Amino acid sequence: MSLKRSKRHRSTKSTLRLPDLDHSKNSVLQSLGSAASKRTYGYAIEDFISWYCSEPRLAFGRTVVLRYRYELESRRLAPATINLRLAAVRRLAYEASDNGLLNPDLAAGIRRVKGAKRLGMKLGNWLTVDQGRRLLAVPSSGSTKDKRDHAILSLLLGCGLRRAELTGLKMSDFQQRDEHWAIVNLFGKGGHIRTVPVPGWAMEVLDEWLRAAQIDEGVIFRRVSRTGSVWGQKISEKLVWWVVRERAKLAGIESWLRTIFGEPVLVFAMQREASWSRSSFSWGIDQSRQRSATWGAVSVSSLP
DNA sequence: GCGAAGAGGCATAGGCGTAT
DNA sequence: ATACGCCTATGCCTCTTCGC
């Protein structure tokens, strides 16, 4: 037994081969909670593996990861992307080390590789109150699909929902509290739970869709066929994007489309527009203020 | 065949915990 | 207080599938 253990200890390597890397990659992906993370990390690790295997076989350590960082920089990727790729490679190293496939000293060296500097912060592309109104005012043909799309826009704008939150909404998530409607116990990004008031005007638009689609239980937003029949179990997040895009085109604000739509900060920006000033609206670079501001969003109920 | 919607792929921003 | 790392999300294409 002791012989076996010492053999295993001696077998920790500095140069990993494809099966070792694949095994470690699977361990990393299994440990991630979100499907989006699995997809993104999977892509990042695949990219690193194909680069690593195309290079002359060097020890999988700090130097190799630094070289990979230079490679990413030479591709002119954004710092956010480079840091994401490096985070995935660090995780790959921890897993390889934990599985006895990589020398722990080499893994520790990889951990010390710094990420790319993020210089400043983009100001984003916020929807103004006027643009929000124009989006909601897009003329409707009265079709079932139009009613659904209008309801989607109304909940996104009125409640500051993310796309993923919207697609999973069920009838049972809506409850009446003190004569007001609210989406209760909404599971948001990172598994956080919140309760969101629903403005009266948004509730009316939603009711129109529910009546047209004859939905009285289960998931709220479903697919609509060309002939107007409602089918399927739910819609995808991609569809929400397409709905927003089509409506933005019709509203004549397509140029706004590179957007942070779906993040609560968008609604906050709309709420604050009336008192906009450069000095008072500095939370884009002030982290603590940004955090405290993030959920003041729901009083946009006066939007239409 | 056509339109609605999903899947896949890659890039990048948001947001939270923690180290400094 | 803030910079950084990590995970989770969106943005925006193209290509494919599905229902009618």
Side-chain angles (χ1 to χ4, degrees):
Chain A
M1 189 68 173
S2 62
L3 181 66
K4 263 189 183 173
R5 196 174 292 144
S6 71
K7 259 188 179 176
R8 179 183 166 139
H9 183 72
R10 265 188 276 123
S11 75
T12 58
K13 311 162 190 176
S14 59
T15 308
L16 296 188
R17 299 200 176 281
L18 203 51
D20 298 333
L21 291 165
D22 263 342
H23 182 262
S24 304
K25 174 190 158 191
N26 290 334
S27 300
V28 172
L29 298 189
Q30 273 176 19
S31 70
L32 293 168
S34 138
S37 302
K38 287 183 203 287
R39 197 168 55 237
T40 307
Y41 268 57
Y43 177 77
I45 293 173
E46 251 339 292
D47 182 75
F48 172 74
I49 290 176
S50 64
W51 173 84
Y52 178 63
C53 291
S54 72
E55 291 286 297
R57 280 309 167 89
L58 297 161
F60 180 33
R62 186 177 154 79
T63 308
V64 153
V65 178
L66 278 171
R67 276 199 196 184
Y68 181 56
R69 192 183 126 172
Y70 298 142
E71 157 69 16
L72 294 174
E73 284 168 349
S74 73
R75 292 186 208 166
R76 302 204 162 263
L77 293 170
T81 308
I82 293 173
N83 290 339
L84 175 70
R85 302 285 177 88
L86 290 176
V89 172
R90 287 188 204 103
R91 281 291 299 272
L92 189 71
Y94 310 155
E95 288 297 334
S97 172
D98 287 350
N99 292 329
L101 297 169
L102 180 70
N103 185 314
D105 293 339
L106 290 173
I110 289 170
R111 184 180 200 131
R112 291 197 303 275
V113 175
K114 292 265 182 220
K117 280 257 185 264
R118 292 192 206 201
L119 298 171
M121 187 184 274
K122 289 187 178 178
L123 270 176
N125 185 9
W126 298 314
L127 196 63
T128 65
V129 171
D130 180 55
Q131 286 172 327
R133 288 205 178 99
R134 281 163 68 183
L135 261 181
L136 289 172
V138 168
S140 168
S141 67
S143 69
T144 308
K145 182 174 174 296
D146 259 5
K147 285 176 179 166
R148 182 200 62 188
D149 293 352
H150 193 195
I152 286 174
L153 257 302
S154 298
L155 285 186
L156 285 175
L157 287 166
C159 306
L161 300 184
R162 296 184 178 87
R163 296 190 307 188
E165 293 166 349
L166 184 101
T167 60
L169 280 181
K170 295 189 290 294
M171 293 294 287
S172 55
D173 294 329
F174 286 78
Q175 290 183 19
Q176 212 160 11
R177 301 280 170 95
D178 297 328
E179 297 180 8
H180 294 286
W181 284 96
I183 302 168
V184 296
N185 299 335
L186 180 69
F187 276 81
K189 186 172 178 174
H192 296 274
I193 303 174
R194 67 183 194 277
T195 292
V196 183
V198 183
W201 59 266
M203 206 61 206
E204 284 169 22
V205 175
L206 179 62
D207 272 341
E208 268 194 54
W209 151 246
L210 293 172
R211 273 198 302 276
Q214 297 181 313
I215 292 170
D216 50 17
E217 63 174 354
V219 173
I220 284 178
F221 292 109
R222 322 268 179 96
R223 301 194 209 176
V224 177
S225 76
R226 200 161 31 122
T227 56
S229 59
V230 177
W231 64 289
Q233 296 302 309
K234 62 181 288 192
I235 58 170
S236 71
E237 293 161 33
K238 313 257 181 188
L239 174 60
V240 178
W241 164 247
W242 281 105
V243 168
V244 173
R245 182 178 150 147
E246 290 309 307
R247 293 255 152 177
K249 273 184 194 169
L250 293 170
I253 54 171
E254 197 185 1
S255 59
W256 153 80
L257 270 170
R258 171 132 183 103
T259 167
I260 51 172
F261 205 101
E263 293 293 339
V265 288
L266 163 73
V267 186
F268 180 74
M270 294 164 61
Q271 188 185 11
R272 289 292 298 273
E273 198 215 31
S275 58
W276 171 284
S277 79
R278 232 170 166 41
S279 57
S280 69
F281 203 78
S282 60
W283 58 265
I285 53 170
D286 180 339
Q287 201 174 51
S288 57
R289 204 184 302 182
Q290 180 178 354
R291 283 190 194 186
S292 62
T294 298
W295 260 110
V298 289
S299 63
V300 277
S301 52
S302 58
L303 188 64

